[in-house]
């Protein structure tokens, strides 16, 4: 009973002391010290001393024992707490303070096996709230401890464990003991990740690589841990690496130019040309991701850590097993594997290809772009032209499957024969006319017309238009034909020699003017040139321009060169020779015309007929009535006219 009375007395004294705490004292940490009995009872109210059975020494000893069980607690401090009770919603914790704290059970989800008596760390949020309650938090305690570990991981390379919670933009959210960190997608693995969802829900090891304390952001990496392990393996592999060594690797990544093989800590490049003896367009045609393959080391650079690998080198080359019956002249079947500007490559058997050059595709020589005719994958027949087994090259041809049209070219197209062809191509110096598939010839620009001169063949005819030609020459060894168009009619310059005599005056139309002079068109469609100094006009008259019709005097005529030079200036500076002759023999000529009108009209008709024939020639049309004999007959009629004029002049 005495012990109970003393205990109640002590409790009453503590309650009275708490009631006497001022507001200023409430803000200070509570500290329980040795109780000075004499000072605390300064009011001389020591009636209990008479009933106290303890001596002062005994009482001091008991007070010392009591105070040793009480410690000083501060806010924002992490302390150990003992679980005293567990309910469905709360956990009661004792930290050794005068009161116990209550924490929601949701903060202990990571401790499913927690029981009464277990010790956990808690954070003191408040020693005494407005209700006098001690406020604790295990969540904040865990958070602070985690941040201590995170800082330690950043500074001392400490490895942390985290739980990959979910995917986010650019990576993952990782839970590291209550703190959410960001894991970039590029920091998951050293290998390219093809299935990001496979990492969600996994517990992995991480290393902190960046901390933003202001925003409490943490960036972690799993890749950095793998790289550290791989670096040791890489050094070991490179130290024992040799050319020709066969290693096992895993397909890590694929590109258009090759495959990266993981050799167990170091990557090697397997170029697309070293994957298969056959030509492939992409490595996926042969290999798959994560596939295990055996490769041979072709070359390596220890300083740059580059390794070149080969796969096809592990099997014999197909050229070594090429059948002996594949010889020039043999017909083979192949698949188009490459189309280039200069030809196509046919794979006649796996790993063995032959080139069909554009010149060997058609006898017509018209294959300008093989891509318009052939495509990859086409199955085609070809003839073997040449086989070089040492250099592993083969030449093939398509056109050899058909008869060479040049074998009988002299029989089908003898010199002087006329043929209808199609204009296939043009150059500045002429045009090419196709007579049949594989046989074409050149018509020089000077062989298009007797009377006109062209700066380009397109001024006379267009590509793909028909054109009648005559064979002028055959060069069978070089596969060349010389063709002509103007030769279909007689050379009218023989007739022009007697019409456009030097000094004669004629009406002409100006077609074009340049710095050198002008080009004019006279009767019968013949063209002549006028030097610039001979274009001067009479004083007081306008300068000549295109489409003007004026008088011109012939100052030069060259039948062989087909050249006619005229002058307008001489037409007004001096009287032409024809006018002089006509003035001298006007009386005699009048009598001649009166008595010989029929002959004059007949010669005039011949010239008109000649003009029509030449116009037909310029149109590229061969009239049924217009023949070489007609042209000769017309020329003779023109000569008679000239002879008559000469006789009249003599008279």
């Amino acid at each position: 009973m005495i012990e109970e009375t003393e205990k109640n007395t002590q409790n009453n004294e503590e309650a009275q002391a708490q009631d006497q705490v001022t507001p200023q004292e409430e803000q200070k940490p509570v500290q329980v010290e040795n109780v000075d009995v004499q000072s605390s009872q300064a009011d001389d109210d020591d009636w209990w001393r008479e009933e106290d059975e303890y001596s002062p020494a005994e009482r001091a000893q008991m007070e010392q024992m009591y105070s040793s069980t009480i410690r000083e607690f501060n806010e924002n401090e992490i302390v150990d707490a003992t679980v005293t009770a567990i309910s469905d919603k709360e956990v009661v914790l004792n930290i050794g303070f005068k009161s116990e704290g209550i924490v929601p059970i949701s903060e202990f989800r990571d401790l499913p096996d927690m029981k009464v008596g277990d010790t956990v760390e808690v954070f003191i949020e408040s020693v005494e709230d407005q209700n006098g309650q001690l406020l604790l938090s295990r969540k904040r305690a865990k958070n602070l401890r985690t941040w201590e570990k995170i800082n330690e991981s950043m500074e001392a390379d400490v490895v942390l464990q985290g739980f990959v919670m979910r995917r986010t933009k650019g990576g993952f959210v990782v839970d590291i003991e209550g703190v959410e960190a960001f894991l970039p997608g590029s920091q998951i693995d050293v290998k390219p990740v093809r299935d990001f969802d496979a990492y969600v829900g996994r517990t992995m090891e991480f290393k902190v690589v960046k901390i933003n304390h202001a925003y409490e952001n943490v960036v972690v990496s799993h890749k950095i841990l793998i790289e550290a392990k791989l670096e040791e393996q890489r050094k070991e592999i490179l130290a024992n690496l040799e050319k020709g060594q066969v290693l096992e690797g895993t397909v890590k990544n694929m590109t258009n130019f090759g495959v990266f093989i993981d050799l167990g800590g170091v990557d090697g490049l397997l170029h697309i040309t070293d994957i298969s003896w056959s030509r492939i367009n992409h490595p996926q045609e042969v290999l798959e991701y994560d596939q295990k393959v055996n490769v041979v080391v072709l070359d390596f650079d220890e300083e740059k850590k580059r390794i070149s690998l080969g796969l096809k080198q592990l099997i014999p080359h197909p050229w070594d097993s090429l059948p002996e019956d594949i010889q020039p002249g043999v017909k083979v079947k192949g698949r188009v594997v490459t189309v280039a500007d200069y030809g196509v490559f046919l794979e006649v058997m796996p790993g063995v290809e032959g080139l069909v050059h554009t010149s060997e595709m058609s006898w017509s020589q018209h294959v300008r772009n093989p891509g318009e005719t052939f495509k990859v994958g086409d199955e085609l027949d070809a003839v073997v032209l040449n086989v070089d087994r040492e250099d592993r090259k083969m030449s093939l041809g398509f056109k050899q499957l058909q008869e060479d049209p040049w074998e009988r070219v002299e029989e089908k197209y003898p010199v002087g024969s006329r043929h209808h062809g199609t204009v296939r191509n043009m150059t500045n110096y002429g045009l090419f006319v196709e007579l049949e598939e594989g046989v074409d010839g050149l018509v020089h620009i000077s062989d298009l017309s007797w009377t006109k001169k062209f700066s380009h063949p397109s001024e006379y005819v267009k590509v793909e238009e028909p054109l009648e030609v005559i064979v002028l020459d055959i060069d069978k060894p070089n596969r060349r034909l010389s063709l002509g168009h103007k030769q279909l009619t007689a050379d009218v310059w023989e007739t022009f020699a007697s019409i456009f005599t030097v000094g004669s005056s004629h009406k002409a139309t100006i077609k074009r003017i340049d710095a050198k002079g002008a080009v004019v068109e006279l009767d019968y469609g013949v063209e002549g040139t006028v030097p610039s100094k001979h274009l001067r006009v009479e004083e007081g008259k306008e300068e000549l321009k295109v489409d003007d019709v004026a008088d011109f005097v012939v100052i030069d005529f060259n039948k062989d060169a087909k050249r006619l030079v005229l002058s307008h200036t001489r037409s007004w500076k001096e009287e032409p020779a024809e006018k002089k002759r006509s003035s001298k023999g006007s009386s005699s000529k009048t009598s001649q015309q009166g008595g010989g009108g029929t002959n004059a009209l007949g010669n005039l008709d011949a010239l008109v007929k000649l003009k029509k024939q030449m116009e037909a020639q310029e149109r590229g049309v061969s009239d049924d009535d217009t023949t070489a004999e007609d042209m000769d007959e017309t020329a003779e009629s023109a000569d008679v006219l000239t002879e008559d004029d000469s006789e009249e002049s003599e008279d």
Side-chain angles (χ1 to χ4, degrees):
M1 293 296 292
I2 296 174
E3 293 178 356
E4 292 179 357
T5 302
E6 290 179 350
K7 185 174 181 180
N8 293 333
T9 302
Q10 291 177 356
N11 292 337
N12 293 332
E13 291 176 351
E14 290 176 359
Q16 292 176 0
Q18 290 179 359
D19 294 337
Q20 294 175 359
V21 175
T22 64
Q24 290 81 7
E25 293 175 341
E26 290 179 356
Q27 296 177 357
K28 297 180 181 179
V30 176
Q31 183 175 5
V32 180
E33 300 178 350
N34 295 333
V35 180
D36 188 350
V37 177
Q38 295 178 358
S39 60
S40 64
Q41 301 296 332
D43 55 356
D44 295 333
D45 185 13
D46 50 0
W47 57 270
W48 55 274
R49 289 178 178 273
E50 298 176 357
E51 299 178 0
D52 192 0
E53 297 180 358
Y54 295 96
S55 65
E58 291 176 341
R59 180 169 291 279
Q61 182 180 5
M62 292 180 65
E63 291 175 351
Q64 181 65 31
M65 292 174 60
Y66 176 76
S67 62
S68 63
T69 62
I70 305 298
R71 51 164 293 193
E72 181 181 353
F73 293 95
N74 298 318
E75 295 181 357
N76 301 328
E77 180 183 4
I78 297 177
V79 297
D80 289 334
T82 304
V83 179
T84 60
I86 301 175
S87 67
D88 295 338
K89 297 182 178 180
E90 298 174 334
V91 177
V92 181
L93 300 172
N94 180 17
I95 63 172
F97 193 51
K98 62 181 180 179
S99 62
E100 294 178 332
I102 299 175
V103 178
I105 196 170
S106 59
E107 297 186 14
F108 297 89
R109 291 176 179 173
D110 59 322
L111 299 176
D113 299 330
M114 183 182 63
K115 60 185 180 299
V116 175
D118 289 348
T119 301
V120 295
E121 286 188 330
V122 292
F123 178 82
I124 301 177
E125 293 185 338
S126 177
V127 175
E128 187 173 6
D129 62 3
Q130 59 184 3
N131 298 322
Q133 182 68 39
L134 174 65
L135 298 182
L136 304 176
S137 173
R138 183 173 181 271
K139 181 179 180 180
R140 294 195 61 181
K142 286 179 56 182
N143 201 339
L144 289 175
R145 291 302 187 197
T146 302
W147 274 104
E148 291 177 1
K149 293 180 181 180
I150 289 174
N151 291 326
E152 185 181 3
S153 174
M154 183 73 179
E155 298 171 359
D157 291 338
V158 176
V159 179
L160 303 177
Q161 278 196 344
F163 178 76
V164 182
M165 299 173 58
R166 63 183 182 274
R167 287 191 60 182
T168 186
K169 184 178 180 181
F172 300 86
V173 175
V174 179
D175 179 16
I176 302 178
E177 298 183 8
V179 176
E180 292 187 355
F182 176 64
L183 172 63
S186 60
Q187 296 298 317
I188 299 177
D189 203 340
V190 293
K191 298 184 294 183
V193 178
R194 289 179 287 276
D195 185 10
F196 286 91
D197 293 332
Y199 289 86
V200 177
R202 292 174 55 181
T203 299
M204 304 170 61
E205 292 184 339
F206 301 99
K207 172 73 172 60
V208 178
V209 295
K210 185 178 180 181
I211 300 176
N212 189 333
H213 293 280
Y215 297 97
E216 295 186 351
N217 291 338
V218 182
V219 180
V220 297
S221 172
H222 179 68
K223 175 182 177 181
I224 194 172
L225 300 176
I226 301 176
E227 289 178 339
K229 297 177 182 178
L230 293 180
E231 184 62 27
E232 300 178 0
Q233 300 178 9
R234 184 181 293 110
K235 293 179 180 179
E236 182 179 355
I237 292 175
L238 292 175
N240 300 323
L241 201 63
E242 296 179 357
K243 291 184 179 180
Q245 184 178 6
V246 179
L247 302 173
E248 184 184 42
T250 305
V251 177
K252 178 179 179 181
N253 194 14
M254 293 188 187
T255 64
N256 292 330
F257 58 85
V259 179
F260 288 95
I261 304 295
D262 183 6
L263 301 176
V266 62
D267 292 343
L269 175 61
L270 175 60
H271 198 269
I272 189 171
T273 57
D274 292 317
I275 295 177
S276 173
W277 292 114
S278 301
R279 194 184 299 266
I280 59 176
N281 297 318
H282 196 276
Q284 288 182 338
E285 298 177 11
V286 180
L287 300 174
E288 298 178 355
Y289 283 102
D290 300 327
Q291 180 180 350
K292 298 287 185 180
V293 292
N294 290 327
V295 290
V296 60
V297 178
L298 303 180
D299 195 8
F300 68 93
D301 188 335
E302 188 171 355
E303 295 181 359
K304 297 181 179 180
K305 298 180 181 180
R306 294 180 180 176
I307 305 175
S308 298
L309 305 174
L311 180 62
K312 69 180 184 180
Q313 288 78 5
L314 296 176
I315 58 176
H317 198 289
W319 271 88
D320 297 336
S321 58
L322 185 67
E324 293 294 334
D325 57 354
I326 297 183
Q327 298 292 337
V330 175
K331 179 180 177 181
V332 295
K333 181 183 290 292
R335 179 177 62 90
V336 177
V337 292
T338 302
V339 179
D341 294 337
Y342 54 86
V344 298
F345 287 89
L346 257 65
E347 186 179 53
V348 297
M349 60 178 293
V352 178
E353 299 176 3
L355 171 63
V356 182
H357 195 268
T358 53
S359 61
E360 303 298 338
M361 292 182 178
S362 173
W363 294 113
S364 62
Q365 304 286 333
H366 293 150
V367 180
R368 296 288 180 259
N369 186 6
E372 297 178 356
T373 307
F374 308 99
K375 62 180 182 298
V376 176
D378 289 347
E379 298 285 343
L380 302 172
D381 292 330
V383 175
V384 178
L385 304 180
N386 186 31
V387 179
D388 188 343
R389 296 178 183 270
E390 294 183 359
D391 293 337
R392 295 171 177 174
K393 294 181 180 180
M394 182 184 300
S395 298
L396 305 174
F398 291 149
K399 68 182 184 181
Q400 287 76 13
L401 296 171
Q402 302 174 354
E403 181 184 2
D404 186 358
W406 278 87
E407 293 295 330
R408 299 171 53 244
V409 68
E410 293 177 336
E411 299 177 10
K412 297 181 66 176
Y413 307 103
V415 175
S417 59
R418 297 186 179 192
H419 306 277
H420 289 276
T422 303
V423 179
R424 295 300 186 188
N425 193 18
M426 288 187 181
T427 63
N428 292 330
Y429 56 85
L431 54 86
F432 291 90
V433 177
E434 184 183 52
L435 301 181
E436 68 168 277
E437 180 74 17
V439 178
D440 54 14
L442 171 65
V443 179
H444 196 271
I445 191 171
S446 61
D447 290 325
L448 291 175
S449 174
W450 290 111
T451 58
K452 291 186 178 181
K453 294 183 179 179
F454 304 99
S455 58
H456 193 273
S458 60
E459 299 176 7
Y460 184 78
V461 69
K462 304 298 181 183
V463 176
E464 301 301 330
E465 289 185 355
L467 185 68
E468 186 177 9
V469 294
I470 185 172
V471 179
L472 303 180
D473 187 39
I474 299 176
D475 185 357
K476 185 176 179 180
N478 294 318
R479 296 176 177 267
R480 293 177 181 175
L481 278 181
S482 295
L483 307 176
H485 177 66
K486 71 180 184 180
Q487 288 80 2
L488 294 172
T489 60
D491 187 357
V492 296
W493 283 86
E494 296 289 343
T495 304
F496 292 160
S498 59
I499 298 175
F500 301 104
T501 58
V502 176
S504 60
S505 178
H506 305 273
K507 293 284 187 181
T509 303
I510 299 178
K511 292 298 183 182
R512 57 182 180 272
I513 300 176
D514 54 25
K516 296 181 179 180
V519 176
V520 298
E521 183 177 359
L522 297 90
D523 290 337
Y524 318 113
V526 66
E527 291 184 351
T529 58
V530 181
S532 57
K533 65 180 181 178
H534 288 281
L535 283 174
R536 293 197 302 270
V537 298
E538 194 173 355
E539 186 176 357
K541 294 186 177 181
E542 294 183 359
E543 296 291 334
L544 295 176
K545 57 183 180 300
V546 177
D547 293 333
D548 282 352
V549 179
D551 292 327
F552 293 89
V553 176
V554 179
I555 60 176
D556 184 34
F557 180 87
N558 190 326
K559 180 182 66 175
D560 297 332
K562 307 295 188 292
R563 185 176 66 248
L564 179 61
V565 185
L566 305 101
S567 172
H568 173 68
T569 305
R570 289 193 182 183
S571 67
W572 56 268
K573 268 193 173 184
E574 60 184 35
E575 188 177 5
E578 281 188 356
K579 292 185 178 181
K580 293 180 181 180
R581 290 198 300 269
S582 62
S583 62
K584 290 181 181 180
S586 59
S587 59
S588 60
K589 186 172 183 180
T590 302
S591 61
Q592 289 278 350
Q593 290 177 350
T598 304
N599 292 334
L601 291 174
N603 294 331
L604 182 60
D605 292 339
L607 291 176
V608 172
K609 188 175 182 180
L610 175 62
K611 182 177 180 180
K612 291 182 178 180
Q613 294 169 353
M614 288 187 292
E615 289 176 350
Q617 177 193 352
E618 297 304 327
R619 294 194 304 268
V621 178
S622 178
D623 296 336
D624 295 337
D625 297 334
T626 305
T627 61
E629 295 178 359
D630 295 335
M631 293 296 291
D632 295 339
E633 181 180 350
T634 305
E636 292 176 1
S637 301
D639 292 340
V640 172
L641 175 60
T642 305
E643 291 175 1
D644 293 341
D645 292 340
S646 300
E647 291 176 359
E648 291 173 358
S649 300
E650 292 176 0
D651 294 341

